[in-house]
């Protein structure tokens, strides 16, 4: 796909995430006023990750256009750093976390929405915003993977980074419960301590699997295995 259409596409996706974030933050929900605010929800963290990632993509596209035909080694070096950061974010955060949020949310929602997205939230969050947070993330990240080849880090480094993120968020959720006495997600209220440990371990494994899926899919699309 040509560079200019990709630029326009990424810019449009970035603007959509900015709109979603602004509309979400404008909602006056009681949960936003409690300890941790919006940052206790993985959905919000993922939205920020996606917005930052596509912001870097747009910045990379602009830098590539500005340095085209320029023989400055310093500018080329800075562009390579930007591309490396873009690829790392795609591999470690944007794809695995985005796919995890979409699949886990809708799987639990279909089973029993009260465990993850109580019906009460319909009074605060319109349907289009819910889909903006929990649905469009997947096609957006797949479009990015299809339009641009991303260089993945070594598998050990990539998995270590994903595990660090997963464990860090789990510890954050546990800390919030320690401070407030309330679990971020209603689902956790119904699990015994032993089952919680198994659940957290399973979540960490799943997000690592999504990292591997992203790596395989990237290689398949761009035929880097040959």
């Amino acid at each position: 796909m040509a560079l200019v259409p990709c630029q326009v596409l990424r810019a449009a996706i970035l603007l959509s995430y900015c709109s979603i974030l602004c509309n979400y933050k404008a909602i006056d929900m009681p949960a936003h006023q409690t300890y941790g605010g919006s940052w206790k929800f993985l959905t919000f963290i993922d939205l920020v990750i996606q917005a930052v990632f596509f912001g870097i993509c747009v910045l990379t596209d602009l830098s590539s256009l500005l340095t085209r035909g320029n023989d400055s080694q310093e500018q080329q070096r800075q562009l390579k750093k930007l591309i490396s950061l873009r690829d790392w974010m795609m591999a470690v955060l944007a794809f695995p976390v985005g796919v995890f949020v979409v699949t886990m949310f809708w799987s639990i929602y279909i089973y029993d929405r009260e465990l993850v997205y109580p019906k009460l939230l319909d009074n605060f969050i319109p349907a289009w915003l819910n889909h903006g947070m929990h649905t469009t993330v997947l096609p957006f990240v797949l479009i990015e993977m299809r339009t641009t080849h991303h260089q993945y880090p070594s598998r050990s480094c990539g998995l270590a980074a994903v595990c660090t993120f997963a464990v860090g968020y789990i510890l954050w959720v546990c800390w919030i419960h320690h401070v407030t006495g309330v679990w971020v997600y209603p689902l956790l209220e119904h699990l015994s301590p032993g089952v919680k440990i198994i659940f957290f371990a399973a979540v960490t494994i799943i997000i690592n699997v999504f990292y591997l899926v992203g790596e395989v899919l990237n290689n398949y699309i761009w035929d880097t295995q040959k």
Side-chain angles (χ1 to χ4, degrees):
M1 187 176 288
L3 178 61
V4 173
C6 289
Q7 284 183 313
V8 174
L9 189 60
R10 287 170 179 149
I13 293 174
L14 174 60
L15 289 174
S16 71
Y17 276 123
C18 291
S19 175
I20 291 169
L21 281 168
C22 289
N23 278 277
Y24 178 75
K25 292 299 291 182
I27 296 174
D28 185 21
M29 284 199 307
H32 290 175
Q33 313 304 323
T34 57
Y35 185 83
S38 302
W39 292 98
K40 58 178 169 284
F41 301 114
L42 185 59
T43 292
F44 179 78
I45 295 174
D46 179 51
L47 286 176
V48 174
I49 288 173
Q50 302 298 330
V52 171
F53 168 68
F54 279 99
I56 293 173
C57 288
V58 171
L59 183 59
T60 302
D61 287 339
L62 291 174
S63 299
S64 180
L65 286 174
L66 292 174
T67 57
R68 181 178 293 177
N70 192 324
D71 295 330
S72 172
Q73 292 186 354
E74 177 61 24
Q75 289 184 348
Q76 292 296 329
R77 188 171 66 84
Q78 294 300 326
L79 178 59
K80 287 182 179 178
K81 285 184 177 181
L82 202 55
I83 292 173
S84 296
L85 176 59
R86 179 200 67 187
D87 292 349
W88 185 89
M89 278 205 69
M90 175 66 172
V92 173
L93 295 174
F95 186 89
V97 177
V99 176
F100 177 85
V101 166
V102 174
T103 55
M104 288 295 291
F105 174 82
W106 287 112
S107 296
I108 299 174
Y109 185 98
I110 292 171
Y111 174 73
D112 183 358
R113 67 170 296 177
E114 294 298 320
L115 297 176
V116 66
Y117 192 81
K119 199 175 178 77
L120 176 66
L121 292 178
D122 290 341
N123 298 323
F124 299 95
I125 303 176
W128 73 266
L129 186 56
N130 180 29
H131 285 292
M133 296 187 298
H134 298 115
T135 306
T136 58
V137 174
L138 182 56
F140 283 168
V141 79
L142 289 176
I143 288 171
E144 169 61 22
M145 180 169 283
R146 178 62 186 86
T147 56
T148 304
H149 174 237
H150 297 274
Q151 185 66 44
Y152 268 60
S154 66
R155 183 166 293 179
S156 58
C157 290
L159 290 175
V162 173
C163 281
T164 300
F165 174 85
V167 172
Y169 180 70
I170 290 170
L171 292 176
W172 171 232
V173 168
C174 291
W175 174 254
I176 291 172
H177 177 262
H178 172 73
V179 173
T180 66
V182 178
W183 288 103
V184 174
Y185 302 102
L187 169 66
L188 296 173
E189 300 282 359
H190 303 279
L191 303 180
S192 65
V195 176
K196 280 189 182 74
I197 294 175
I198 296 174
F199 176 77
F200 288 143
V203 163
T204 303
I205 292 172
I206 290 171
I207 199 169
N208 276 273
V209 169
F210 284 140
Y211 171 86
L212 296 175
V213 169
E215 182 183 46
V216 171
L217 186 59
N218 181 71
N219 289 338
Y220 174 76
I221 291 174
W222 296 98
D223 203 23
T224 57
Q225 295 286 4
K226 284 187 178 180

